[in-house]
Coordinates of all heavy atoms in Angstrom, one line a residue:
F56 N -0.3 66.9 29.8 CA -1.6 66.3 29.6 C -1.9 65.1 30.4 O -1.1 64.2 30.6 CB -1.7 65.9 28.1 CG -2.9 65.1 27.7 CD1 -4.2 65.5 27.9 CD2 -2.8 63.8 27.2 CE1 -5.3 64.8 27.6 CE2 -3.9 63.0 26.8 CZ -5.2 63.5 27.1
F57 N -3.2 65.0 30.9 CA -3.7 63.8 31.6 C -4.9 63.3 30.9 O -6.0 64.0 30.9 CB -4.0 64.1 33.0 CG -2.7 64.4 33.8 CD1 -2.3 65.7 34.0 CD2 -2.0 63.4 34.4 CE1 -1.2 66.0 34.7 CE2 -0.9 63.7 35.2 CZ -0.5 65.0 35.3
A58 N -4.9 62.1 30.2 CA -6.1 61.5 29.7 C -6.9 60.9 30.9 O -6.3 60.9 32.0 CB -5.7 60.4 28.8
D59 N -8.1 60.5 30.7 CA -8.8 59.9 31.8 C -9.9 59.0 31.3 O -10.6 59.3 30.3 CB -9.5 61.0 32.6 CG -10.0 60.5 34.0 OD1 -9.4 59.5 34.5 OD2 -11.0 61.0 34.5
V60 N -9.9 57.8 31.8 CA -11.0 56.8 31.6 C -11.4 56.3 32.9 O -10.5 55.7 33.6 CB -10.6 55.7 30.6 CG1 -11.7 54.7 30.5 CG2 -10.1 56.2 29.3
R82 N -6.0 54.6 38.1 CA -6.1 55.9 37.5 C -6.9 56.8 38.4 O -8.1 56.6 38.6 CB -6.8 55.9 36.1 CG -5.9 55.2 35.1 CD -6.6 55.2 33.8 NE -6.2 56.3 33.0 CZ -6.2 56.3 31.7 NH1 -6.5 55.3 31.0 NH2 -5.8 57.4 31.1
T104 N -9.0 65.9 31.5 CA -10.0 65.3 30.6 C -11.3 65.3 31.3 O -11.4 65.0 32.5 CB -9.5 63.9 30.3 OG1 -8.3 64.0 29.6 CG2 -10.5 63.1 29.4
N133 N -9.8 68.2 27.9 CA -10.0 67.3 26.8 C -11.4 66.8 26.9 O -11.7 66.0 27.8 CB -8.9 66.2 26.9 CG -9.1 65.1 25.9 OD1 -9.5 65.3 24.8 ND2 -8.6 63.9 26.3
A134 N -12.3 67.4 26.0 CA -13.7 67.0 26.2 C -14.0 65.8 25.3 O -14.0 65.9 24.1 CB -14.5 68.2 25.7
V135 N -14.1 64.6 26.0 CA -14.2 63.4 25.2 C -15.6 62.8 25.1 O -16.4 62.9 26.0 CB -13.2 62.3 25.8 CG1 -11.8 62.7 25.6 CG2 -13.5 61.9 27.2
V136 N -15.8 62.1 24.0 CA -17.0 61.3 23.8 C -16.4 59.9 24.2 O -15.6 59.3 23.5 CB -17.5 61.3 22.4 CG1 -18.5 60.3 22.1 CG2 -18.0 62.7 22.1
S137 N -16.9 59.3 25.3 CA -16.3 58.1 25.9 C -16.7 56.9 25.1 O -17.8 56.8 24.7 CB -16.7 58.0 27.4 OG -16.3 59.1 28.1
G138 N -15.7 55.9 25.0 CA -16.0 54.7 24.3 C -15.6 53.4 25.0 O -15.6 52.4 24.3
F139 N -15.4 53.5 26.3 CA -14.9 52.3 26.9 C -16.0 51.7 27.8 O -16.5 52.4 28.7 CB -13.6 52.5 27.7 CG -12.5 52.9 26.8 CD1 -12.2 54.2 26.5 CD2 -11.7 51.9 26.2 CE1 -11.2 54.5 25.6 CE2 -10.7 52.2 25.3 CZ -10.4 53.5 25.0
E142 N -16.4 51.9 31.7 CA -16.7 53.3 32.2 C -18.2 53.5 32.2 O -18.8 54.0 33.2 CB -16.0 54.3 31.4 CG -16.1 55.7 31.9 CD -15.2 56.7 31.2 OE1 -14.9 56.5 30.0 OE2 -14.8 57.7 31.8
H154 N -23.1 55.3 19.4 CA -22.2 56.3 18.9 C -22.9 57.7 18.6 O -22.5 58.7 19.1 CB -21.5 55.8 17.7 CG -20.2 56.6 17.3 ND1 -20.2 57.5 16.3 CD2 -19.0 56.6 17.8 CE1 -19.0 58.0 16.2 NE2 -18.2 57.5 17.1
R157 N -24.2 59.4 21.6 CA -23.1 60.1 22.4 C -22.8 61.4 21.8 O -22.5 62.4 22.4 CB -21.9 59.1 22.5 CG -22.0 58.1 23.5 CD -20.8 57.2 23.6 NE -20.8 56.2 22.5 CZ -19.7 55.8 21.9 NH1 -18.5 56.3 22.1 NH2 -19.7 54.9 20.9
Y158 N -22.7 61.4 20.4 CA -22.4 62.7 19.7 C -23.5 63.7 19.8 O -23.3 64.9 19.9 CB -21.9 62.4 18.3 CG -20.4 62.2 18.3 CD1 -19.9 60.9 18.2 CD2 -19.5 63.3 18.4 CE1 -18.5 60.7 18.3 CE2 -18.2 63.1 18.5 CZ -17.7 61.8 18.4 OH -16.3 61.6 18.5
M225 N -10.3 68.3 21.7 CA -11.2 67.2 21.5 C -10.4 66.1 20.8 O -9.4 66.4 20.1 CB -12.4 67.6 20.6 CG -13.3 68.4 21.4 SD -14.9 68.7 20.5 CE -15.5 70.0 21.5
A226 N -10.8 64.8 21.0 CA -10.0 63.7 20.6 C -10.7 62.7 19.7 O -10.2 61.7 19.2 CB -9.5 62.9 21.8
G227 N -12.0 63.0 19.4 CA -12.7 62.1 18.5 C -12.2 62.0 17.1 O -11.8 63.1 16.5
Q228 N -12.1 60.9 16.5 CA -11.5 60.7 15.1 C -12.5 60.4 14.0 O -12.2 60.4 12.9 CB -10.4 59.6 15.2 CG -9.4 59.7 16.3 CD -8.5 60.9 16.2 OE1 -7.8 61.1 15.2 NE2 -8.5 61.8 17.2
S229 N -13.7 60.1 14.4 CA -14.8 59.7 13.4 C -15.2 61.0 12.7 O -14.9 62.1 13.2 CB -15.9 59.0 14.1 OG -16.5 60.0 15.0
P230 N -16.0 60.9 11.6 CA -16.5 62.1 11.0 C -17.3 63.0 12.0 O -17.2 64.2 12.0 CB -17.4 61.6 9.9 CG -16.8 60.3 9.6 CD -16.3 59.7 10.8
S231 N -18.1 62.4 12.9 CA -18.8 63.2 13.9 C -17.8 63.9 14.9 O -18.1 65.0 15.3 CB -19.7 62.3 14.8 OG -20.6 61.5 13.9
G232 N -16.7 63.2 15.2 CA -15.7 63.7 16.1 C -15.0 64.9 15.5 O -14.8 65.9 16.1
I233 N -14.8 64.8 14.2 CA -14.1 65.9 13.5 C -15.0 67.1 13.3 O -14.6 68.2 13.5 CB -13.5 65.4 12.1 CG1 -12.4 64.4 12.4 CG2 -13.0 66.5 11.2 CD1 -11.7 63.8 11.2
F244 N -6.7 66.4 19.1 CA -5.6 65.4 19.2 C -5.8 64.5 18.0 O -6.9 64.2 17.6 CB -5.8 64.5 20.4 CG -5.4 65.1 21.7 CD1 -6.1 64.9 22.9 CD2 -4.3 66.0 21.8 CE1 -5.8 65.4 24.1 CE2 -4.0 66.5 23.0 CZ -4.7 66.2 24.2
A245 N -4.7 64.0 17.4 CA -4.8 63.0 16.3 C -3.6 62.2 16.4 O -2.5 62.6 16.8 CB -5.0 63.7 15.0
G246 N -3.7 61.0 15.8 CA -2.5 60.1 15.8 C -1.7 60.4 14.6 O -0.6 61.0 14.7
L277 N -2.8 68.7 17.7 CA -1.6 68.2 18.5 C -1.4 66.7 18.1 O -2.3 65.9 18.4 CB -1.8 68.3 20.0 CG -1.9 69.7 20.6 CD1 -2.1 69.7 22.1 CD2 -0.6 70.5 20.3
A279 N -0.3 63.1 18.5 CA 0.1 62.3 19.6 C 1.2 61.3 19.2 O 1.1 60.8 18.1 CB -1.1 61.6 20.2
W314 N -7.3 48.5 24.7 CA -7.3 49.6 23.7 C -8.4 49.4 22.6 O -9.0 50.4 22.2 CB -5.9 49.6 23.0 CG -5.6 50.8 22.2 CD1 -5.4 50.8 20.8 CD2 -5.5 52.2 22.5 NE1 -5.2 52.0 20.3 CE2 -5.2 52.9 21.4 CE3 -5.6 52.8 23.8 CZ2 -5.0 54.3 21.4 CZ3 -5.4 54.2 23.8 CH2 -5.1 54.9 22.6
N343 N -13.7 49.8 19.5 CA -13.4 51.0 18.9 C -13.0 50.7 17.4 O -11.9 50.4 17.1 CB -12.2 51.7 19.6 CG -12.6 52.1 21.0 OD1 -13.6 52.8 21.2 ND2 -11.8 51.7 22.0
G345 N -12.4 52.4 14.7 CA -11.3 53.1 14.1 C -10.0 52.4 14.4 O -9.1 52.3 13.5
Y346 N -9.8 51.9 15.6 CA -8.5 51.3 16.0 C -8.4 49.9 15.2 O -7.3 49.5 14.9 CB -8.4 51.1 17.5 CG -8.5 52.4 18.3 CD1 -9.1 52.5 19.5 CD2 -7.9 53.5 17.7 CE1 -9.1 53.7 20.2 CE2 -7.9 54.7 18.4 CZ -8.5 54.8 19.7 OH -8.5 56.0 20.4
M399 N 1.9 66.3 21.0 CA 1.6 65.9 22.4 C 2.3 64.5 22.6 O 1.8 63.5 22.1 CB 0.1 65.8 22.5 CG -0.4 65.8 24.0 SD -0.6 64.2 24.6 CE -1.9 63.6 23.6
Ligands
LIG508 C1 -4.5 61.5 21.6 C2 -5.9 60.9 22.1 C3 -6.2 61.1 23.4 C4 -7.4 60.5 23.9 N1 -7.8 60.7 25.2 C5 -8.9 60.1 25.7 C6 -9.2 60.2 27.1 O1 -8.5 60.8 27.9 N2 -10.4 59.5 27.5 C7 -11.2 58.8 26.6 O2 -12.2 58.3 27.1 N3 -10.9 58.8 25.3 C8 -9.8 59.4 24.8 N4 -9.5 59.3 23.5 C9 -10.4 58.6 22.6 C10 -11.3 59.5 21.9 O3 -12.0 60.4 22.8 C11 -12.4 58.8 21.1 O4 -13.2 58.0 21.9 C12 -11.8 57.9 20.1 O5 -10.8 58.6 19.3 C13 -12.9 57.4 19.1 O6 -13.5 58.5 18.5 P1 -14.7 58.4 17.6 O7 -15.8 57.8 18.4 O8 -15.0 59.8 17.2 O9 -14.4 57.5 16.4 C14 -8.3 59.8 23.0 C15 -7.9 59.7 21.6 C16 -6.7 60.3 21.2 C17 -6.3 60.1 19.7

Side-chain angles (χ1 to χ4, degrees):
F56 169 60
F57 293 91
D59 194 30
V60 178
R82 291 182 90 152
T104 298
N133 174 29
V135 294
V136 169
S137 302
F139 293 93
E142 187 170 25
H154 195 261
R157 280 181 281 144
Y158 271 100
M225 288 190 193
Q228 309 294 303
S229 63
S231 307
I233 291 181
F244 285 144
L277 291 180
W314 188 248
N343 292 312
Y346 299 144
M399 197 267 294

